[in-house]
Amino acid sequence: MTPQPPPVPDNAEGRPRRVGVEIEFAGLPPRDTANLVKELFGGEVEVLSPHRLKVTDTRWGEFGIELDTQYAHPDAERVDPEACKDSEWERMRQEFHRRTRELIGDVVTGLVPTEIVCPPVPWDELDQLDALFEALRQRGAKGTEASLLYGFGLHLNPEAPGLDVESLLAHLRAYLLSARWLREQIRVDITREVLPHANPFPRAYALKVLDPGYAPDLETLIDDYLEYNPTRNRELDLLPLFAHLHPEHPHELLGDHLVKPRPTYHYRLPNAQLSESGWGAVQEWNRWLEVETLAASPETLAERGAQYLARHRPAWPVRLWQSLRRRLGQS
């Protein structure tokens, strides 16, 4: 499968926009996964802890591979090599902590997913990255469909084609209008529907954002998003992008250590369909382009937004009553 070109193919530096890819699966432990990545893309395997590794100096940069649970890894706040130099008791305590976390990882391997965090890849090279998905299939990796316990996903982090508010708002509106189609195309697994990791946006937020009179500045766009979506678990998670654009914003979510600031959209919706031959990052990228194509078509975007509002907006007496209630509540 060939990656299709986006409406804005290059970034501000004139190079092809890049896409970060994250994939969760079972059936292959982190060490074997790291060796597979090295076999495919070169580089060197570095063991950070028994269940967390990285592969450095590959053609695209650094791959991170680990069991996707914090309890399988040493807590950085509790491991201080300097404290061990003058205290045998501290050395024993830290060693016990490491061994305990290693044991937890051994026990939960197969129950929690292995995760690969790929380095950003130029969009027109995603088909080469897909060699990793085929190799995972051949080595016995299991995706979302393999068990009712496997709520695994694939996340795309496409570099934003623009960081101005107009571009951000256009892409957010385009996503809200495309979300239902994307879910139908992907056939989101029932396990992932039940789990909270890729929840839809609330309709009230969609109605607010799709209103043609909504013209926020960056601060207002971020504040409104946080008011309606105080969570990382959205199908299109904008927290990493907002943390990059407004690093001094006081909201606790934007300072969460799990939110990695970066100039990308964090698209969390796709399943990890490793049982399907030919499935991979390219297929999900090509689906994602429905959003970018709509965002780049202002007239179509406005027309579809108006259609959405006509279907879902409450009748004017209801809107008037809601407005009065809000005003009375603020007084």
Side-chain angles (χ1 to χ4, degrees):
M1 189 174 292
T2 303
Q4 298 302 305
V8 182
D10 296 334
N11 59 23
E13 288 74 40
R15 294 192 292 269
R17 288 169 49 214
R18 298 183 299 168
V19 185
V21 179
E22 305 166 31
I23 176 70
E24 302 167 329
F25 54 90
L28 203 65
R31 190 178 296 270
D32 293 346
T33 301
N35 289 331
L36 176 60
V37 170
K38 178 182 178 181
E39 178 184 321
L40 290 171
F41 306 123
E44 297 297 329
V45 175
E46 182 177 338
V47 179
L48 304 178
S49 64
H51 301 288
R52 174 179 284 157
L53 306 93
K54 62 183 180 180
V55 183
T56 60
D57 300 322
T58 75
R59 57 182 299 183
W60 295 303
E62 180 180 297
F63 286 77
I65 299 106
E66 63 179 48
L67 282 183
D68 191 19
T69 171
Q70 61 179 333
Y71 302 110
H73 314 295
D75 185 341
E77 295 183 358
R78 300 184 63 181
V79 177
D80 180 6
E82 292 297 319
C84 296
K85 292 181 178 179
D86 302 318
S87 171
E88 180 66 17
W89 167 253
E90 182 63 20
R91 186 193 67 77
M92 293 174 61
R93 186 195 67 78
Q94 292 191 28
E95 181 63 20
F96 178 76
H97 174 72
R98 291 190 187 92
R99 292 292 183 88
T100 301
R101 291 299 175 93
E102 179 180 359
L103 178 60
I104 292 173
D106 292 342
V107 170
V108 301
T109 296
L111 299 176
V112 301
T114 296
E115 180 181 39
I116 303 176
V117 178
C118 303
V121 174
W123 67 264
D124 55 357
E125 297 179 26
L126 284 171
D127 55 335
Q128 299 172 47
L129 180 66
D130 271 0
L132 174 59
F133 295 86
E134 182 59 34
L136 288 170
R137 268 190 289 273
Q138 294 177 0
R139 300 292 176 92
K142 306 296 183 183
T144 317
E145 73 293 337
S147 170
L148 288 175
L149 299 177
Y150 291 171
F152 303 157
L154 176 135
H155 301 172
L156 294 183
N157 297 282
E159 185 177 2
L163 297 178
D164 55 283
V165 176
E166 290 75 15
S167 178
L168 302 179
L169 183 58
H171 282 80
L172 176 55
R173 283 172 166 165
Y175 186 85
L176 291 168
L177 293 168
S178 305
R180 181 175 178 179
W181 179 86
L182 286 167
R183 285 182 171 269
E184 291 172 350
Q185 293 297 306
I186 293 168
R187 302 190 306 277
V188 178
D189 189 89
I190 184 62
T191 305
R192 302 190 70 239
E193 292 279 16
V194 172
L195 294 172
H197 306 310
N199 284 342
F201 287 96
R203 180 171 293 177
Y205 182 64
L207 292 172
K208 181 180 186 68
V209 171
L210 292 171
D211 189 311
Y214 185 62
D217 58 15
L218 179 62
E219 189 87 20
T220 303
L221 182 66
I222 294 175
D223 288 346
D224 288 343
Y225 179 91
L226 291 167
E227 178 184 352
Y228 285 85
N229 308 281
T231 174
R232 294 173 55 240
N233 298 323
R234 284 286 179 260
E235 53 193 355
L236 183 66
D237 176 12
L238 296 186
L239 294 179
L241 179 57
F242 288 156
H244 170 80
L245 293 172
H246 196 334
E248 304 304 319
H249 196 285
H251 197 285
E252 60 182 9
L253 265 179
L254 296 182
D256 191 313
H257 73 281
L258 295 174
V259 174
K260 310 298 183 187
R262 51 186 181 247
T264 69
Y265 293 102
H266 186 39
Y267 174 45
R268 303 165 62 97
L269 188 61
N271 301 321
Q273 297 293 129
L274 284 172
S275 67
E276 294 185 9
S277 180
W279 174 86
V282 170
Q283 185 176 69
E284 301 304 343
W285 162 257
N286 288 345
R287 286 171 173 157
W288 161 259
L289 290 183
E290 177 79 7
V291 175
E292 295 203 10
T293 300
L294 180 57
S297 307
E299 292 183 3
T300 305
L301 183 63
E303 181 181 347
R304 288 187 53 186
Q307 292 170 354
Y308 182 96
L309 292 173
R311 288 195 307 271
H312 298 295
R313 210 176 203 175
W316 74 264
V318 177
R319 297 203 305 273
L320 177 61
W321 172 242
Q322 291 174 340
S323 177
L324 288 173
R325 288 186 63 185
R326 284 196 299 270
R327 292 183 182 183
L328 289 172
Q330 293 172 358
S331 62

